[in-house]
Amino acid sequence: MTRSFPRAAVVVTTATTLVVNLSACQAPDHAPAPPSASASADAAVYVTGAKTGDDPCARVASAIGYLGLSLLPAGQEEAQHWDGDVRGRFGYLRGTLAMYGPGLPAPAAPAVAVIDDLAGTLSLARTADSRRPRLLREYRTASAAVLTACGRPSPG
C-alpha cells in the first residue's frame, strides 16, 4: 500500500499541472499578435524583419550572399556537402524570391524562375547526390544573372 499512495499523488499533481497549463494557453492574453502595418494583409512574410519598402535587389543579393557562405567555391561542386544548413539556405532564398522576386528588374525574371526551381530541388534532402553538382553550377549561373540585373557584382 505504501507504493500506491505516492503514485496516486504524482498522478493527481501531474493532471492538475496539465489542466492549469492548458487553461493558460486558452487565455485571451495568448492570442496571436495582429499583422504588422508594414506587411500587406494578403502577403506572406518569409524573411525575418522584412518590410514592404525594402529594396528587392538588396534583399535578394543578401540572400544569395548568405547562401554563398555555405557553398564551396566555384569548381568544387563535386565536393559540396549537402547538410541541413545548405539545404535550409536554399529554402531561405526561395522565400526571399517569393517576397521580393516580383520587384526585381525585368531582366532578372528568367533567372529568378530558374533559381526558384533549382532551389526547390536542392533544398530537398531526397534529391540524389549525383544531380546536385550540375544543379549547383546552374544555380551559380542564374544567381550571377540576377546580381547583374541588379547592378551588383557576382561572386567568383
Side-chain angles (χ1 to χ4, degrees), residues 55-62 143-155:
D55 174 25
C57 279
R59 281 294 190 165
V60 171
S62 175
S143 65
V146 169
L147 293 173
T148 298
C150 284
R152 293 192 164 58
S154 58

Side-chain angles (χ1 to χ4, degrees), residues 1-2 8 17 20 53-54 59-60 67 72-74 78-79 83 90 94 101 112 122 126 139 142 150 152 156:
M1 283 289 182
T2 56
T17 303
V20 168
D54 289 347
R59 281 294 190 165
V60 171
L67 170 58
L72 293 175
E78 300 291 335
D83 58 9
F90 272 107
R94 286 192 81 200
V112 167
L122 289 169
R126 70 176 181 255
Y139 160 76
C150 284
R152 293 192 164 58

Side-chain angles (χ1 to χ4, degrees), residues 58-68 89 92-93 96-97 139:
R59 281 294 190 165
V60 171
S62 175
I64 289 171
Y66 178 63
L67 170 58
R89 289 180 190 218
Y92 177 81
L93 178 57
T96 304
L97 289 174
Y139 160 76

Side-chain angles (χ1 to χ4, degrees), residues 11-22:
V11 169
V12 170
T13 302
T14 303
T16 303
T17 303
L18 182 61
V19 169
V20 168
N21 287 335
L22 288 175

